[in-house]
């Protein structure tokens, strides 16, 4: 098992009507004047913003509102938010929305806590020392930003992420009921993203994995797969939405990677460039590229893919799974590789069953060679970095993966 640090200080308030507690939670945290930050339409249309504002008023808390966060949130609105908070002497930020709203709020909190330009943090040119108090009300199960240490912001077409422990929210309110208004496509994009946060961690190191963490990861993946299929048939199923929502937070707070290294994250890096250049939904970019990435790298440690195939995707009949030495002793390398490949196809079939893309053209663009070159250049930060842990990928590898996935 690899060494690790695991600390998730976010208070989670989960379940029906949980949002009615937000005023008291902010008061508990010492907030007196709040920025209520939200997206384009959904939270206003559903009446959630009005209800939240009433709760704040009932708790004696003042507020200002700033809506308009777009998916793949833009730096320009972050800057507007920072100015507004300073002018209004806001002392607490409340994100009401999905990963985009929460990440925009996190960027505002960095901007308020530090006296340099916030984009420098995302460009890795400056290190934040302070973070403003943040709470969230989650309206989509997907990014996991409500308990994660990450945030991802887009500046024009450049999408960049940053991770600092200080950016985990003080509290996150999760009411699965609030996700019932989501279009089915967004729901499924969210399910893929949740799975990918555990899958990226699954492929984190070179053989030193924690048995317990693997079991947690397998349980989470199976739960998301089962409940995603339920939601495809019955999108308003509360229990299925609750399972997915809880999985969304646990998948990205670090739990499913403890002891397994830092994770691979290649698909996220490759996917961010597709969102940056074309604006595609995050979860869909991950589905479009995962299978190609997997086939490109699986020979590094085919037994890791074989374990996923057997334990999560049901490739090997249950009675054979009883044999603990299955992967090392009983099977030849060719057999392990064959199971690995079957697993990769099974995962792609599962994505297809959710109507998710498994190639880039299904996202809506027939990539030209010039676009592929540009994506690889962007993803390699102009040839200055590699990505991935399971297999390190340089600019040529990136180019090949985009090309094979197109
Ligand atoms: O703007 P509105 O009208 O609210 O519409 C949103 C948006 O169009 C809609 N929506 C949200 N809740 C809804 C709803 N529609 C109806 N009913 C509801 N209850 O859904 C659309 C997508 O929202 P968004 O917040 O963009 O989704 P998601 O949570 O998937 O967040 C995606 C962003 O998070 C980043 C992604 O890269 C992307 O920018 N990520 C953030 C991470 C983190 N901070 O830890 C990790 C992830 O890997 C990811 O990179
Ligand atoms: Zn993600």
């Amino acid at each position: 098992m690899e060494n690790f640090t695991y600390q998730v200080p976010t208070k989670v308030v989960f379940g029906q009507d949980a949002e009615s507690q937000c005023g008291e939670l902010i008061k508990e945290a010492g907030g007196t004047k709040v920025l209520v930050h939200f997206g384009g339409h959904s939270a206003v249309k559903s009446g959630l913003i009005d209800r939240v504002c009433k709760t704040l008023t009932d708790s004696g808390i003042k507020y200002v509102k700033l809506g308009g966060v777009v998916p793949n949130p833009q730096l320009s609105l972050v800057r507007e938010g920072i100015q507004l908070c300073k002018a209004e002497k806001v002392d607490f930020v409340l994100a009401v929305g999905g990963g985009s709203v929460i990440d925009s709020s996190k960027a505002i909190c960095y901007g308020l806590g530090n006296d340099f330009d916030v984009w420098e943090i995302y460009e890795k040119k400056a290190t934040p020392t302070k973070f403003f108090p943040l709470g969230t009300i989650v309206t989509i199960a997907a990014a996991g930003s409500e308990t994660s240490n990450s945030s991802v912001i887009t500046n024009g077409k450049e999408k960049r992420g940053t991770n600092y422990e200080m950016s985990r929210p003080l509290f996150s309110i999760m009411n699965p009921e609030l996700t019932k208004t989501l279009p089915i496509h967004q729901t499924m994009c969210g399910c893929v993203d949740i799975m990918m946060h555990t899958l990226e961690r699954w492929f984190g190191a070179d053989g030193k994995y924690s048995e317990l963490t693997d079991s947690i990861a397998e349980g989470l993946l199976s739960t998301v797969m089962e409940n995603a299929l339920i939601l495809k048939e019955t999108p308003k199923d509360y229990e299925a939405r609750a399972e997915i929502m809880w999985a969304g937070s646990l998948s990205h707070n670090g739990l499913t990677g403890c002891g397994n290294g830092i994770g691979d994250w290649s698909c996220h890096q490759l996917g961010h460039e597709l969102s940056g250049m074309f604006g595609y939904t995050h979860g869909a970019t991950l589905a479009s590229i995962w299978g190609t990435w997997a086939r490109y790298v699986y020979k590094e440690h085919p037994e890791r893919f074989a374990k996923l195939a057997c334990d999560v995707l049901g490739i090997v009949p249950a009675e054979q799974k009883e044999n603990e030495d299955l992967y090392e002793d009983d099977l030849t390398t060719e057999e392990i590789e064959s199971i690995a490949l079957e697993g990769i196809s099974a995962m792609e079939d599962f994505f297809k069953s959710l109507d998710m893309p498994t190639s880039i053209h299904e996202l809506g663009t027939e990539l030209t060679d010039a676009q592929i070159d540009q994506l690889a250049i962007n993803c390699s930060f102009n040839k200055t970095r590699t990505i991935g842990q399971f297999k390190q990928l340089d600019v040529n590898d990136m180019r090949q993966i985009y090309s094979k996935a197109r």
Side-chain angles (χ1 to χ4, degrees):
M1 201 190 289
E2 300 276 346
N3 294 351
F4 66 90
T5 302
Y6 177 67
Q7 184 179 21
V8 186
T10 306
K11 179 191 266 194
V12 171
V13 183
F14 194 99
Q16 305 262 12
D17 296 325
E19 64 277 14
S20 64
Q21 297 179 43
C22 79
E24 291 308 305
L25 285 163
I26 292 169
K27 232 158 95 176
E28 221 174 79
T32 60
K33 185 157 185 187
V34 174
L35 172 74
V36 181
H37 198 32
F38 50 96
H41 315 281
S42 69
V44 173
K45 195 172 157 205
S46 67
L48 177 61
I49 295 299
D50 284 346
R51 279 190 285 126
V52 166
C53 291
K54 183 173 180 317
T55 312
L56 296 179
T57 304
D58 291 348
S59 299
I61 293 167
K62 298 192 183 80
Y63 60 84
V64 285
K65 296 194 277 186
L66 180 64
V69 179
V70 293
N72 305 311
Q74 285 287 338
L75 178 65
S76 48
L77 192 68
V78 168
R79 292 208 166 111
E80 211 183 296
I82 294 167
Q83 291 314 319
L84 179 66
C85 288
K86 285 182 177 166
E88 294 284 340
K89 302 201 172 8
V90 158
D91 56 18
F92 195 96
V93 177
L94 179 67
V96 185
S100 295
V101 173
I102 299 173
D103 286 2
S104 183
S105 301
K106 284 183 176 178
I108 290 172
C109 289
Y110 280 128
L112 292 170
N114 300 278
D115 53 13
F116 47 78
D117 180 43
V118 66
W119 186 242
E120 290 185 15
I121 300 171
Y122 293 84
E123 284 182 307
K124 306 205 176 355
K125 286 184 183 159
T127 305
T129 52
K130 286 203 184 122
F131 191 78
F132 225 58
L134 170 69
T136 84
I137 299 178
V138 187
T139 64
I140 166 172
S145 187
E146 64 273 11
T147 53
S148 83
N149 62 1
S150 310
S151 59
V152 192
I153 294 294
T154 304
N155 181 8
K157 288 186 181 298
E158 202 179 338
K159 186 170 176 178
R160 295 287 172 257
T162 195
N163 308 309
Y164 287 99
E165 289 304 310
M166 68 179 85
S167 73
R168 296 190 201 257
L170 293 176
F171 67 79
S172 281
I173 290 174
M174 290 178 230
N175 176 359
E177 200 69 46
L178 299 179
T179 70
K180 284 188 179 175
T181 50
L182 271 170
I184 194 69
H185 176 73
Q186 279 296 342
T187 301
M188 295 306 149
C189 287
C191 292
V192 170
D193 194 19
I194 293 168
M195 289 178 69
M196 286 298 302
H197 294 153
T198 287
L199 285 173
E200 297 270 31
R201 290 177 165 91
W202 179 268
F203 295 105
D206 58 0
K208 287 180 180 171
Y209 293 101
S210 154
E211 245 178 75
L212 175 60
T213 297
D214 275 1
S215 299
I216 294 170
E218 288 165 12
L220 187 142
L221 289 168
S222 303
T223 301
V224 175
M225 291 171 81
E226 194 182 314
N227 286 284
L229 291 174
I230 293 174
L231 287 184
K232 198 159 171 253
E233 296 308 313
T234 47
K236 306 255 184 241
D237 187 310
Y238 178 86
E239 293 302 324
R241 286 207 171 269
E243 296 290 350
I244 300 267
M245 192 168 221
W246 186 218
S249 291
L250 294 185
S251 194
H252 204 31
N253 73 5
L255 179 69
T256 64
C258 291
N260 282 3
I262 63 169
D264 185 80
W265 302 106
S266 294
C267 291
H268 268 73
Q269 299 307 318
L270 293 161
H272 284 344
E273 298 307 329
L274 290 167
S275 293
M277 196 179 278
F278 302 107
Y280 294 134
T281 304
H282 173 62
T285 66
L286 302 174
S288 78
I289 220 152
W290 186 83
T292 304
W293 167 82
R295 286 190 189 88
Y296 195 82
V297 304
Y298 80 99
K299 285 199 174 175
E300 296 291 307
H301 304 289
E303 60 285 353
R304 194 64 183 153
F305 276 92
K307 181 166 167 56
L308 183 77
C310 296
D311 293 356
V312 177
L313 299 157
I315 299 301
V316 176
E319 56 272 21
Q320 287 184 34
K321 280 198 251 172
E322 301 299 317
N323 181 351
E324 285 185 5
D325 296 329
L326 181 70
Y327 309 117
E328 282 122 47
D329 296 342
D330 291 357
L331 299 175
T332 63
T333 305
E334 288 72 28
E335 283 170 327
I336 292 174
E337 287 184 1
S338 160
I339 294 172
L341 285 170
E342 269 188 78
I344 293 167
S345 296
M347 185 63 88
E348 284 187 318
D349 288 345
F350 176 73
F351 290 156
K352 284 179 192 155
S353 76
L354 304 184
D355 298 326
M356 285 288 108
T358 52
S359 60
I360 295 171
H361 73 263
E362 292 170 73
L363 289 168
T365 303
E366 303 281 345
L367 288 180
T368 63
D369 290 344
Q371 284 170 326
I372 286 173
D373 277 348
Q374 193 60 53
L375 285 163
I377 292 285
N378 294 352
C379 192
S380 65
F381 294 178
N382 210 9
K383 303 188 190 174
T384 60
R385 71 157 181 173
T386 59
I387 58 170
Q389 294 293 319
F390 193 79
K391 178 179 169 69
Q392 276 196 8
L393 305 173
D394 64 16
V395 67
N396 290 322
D397 299 312
M398 297 170 198
R399 195 178 285 123
Q400 286 201 53
I401 292 175
Y402 283 126
S403 180
K404 287 173 195 285
R406 72 169 136 186

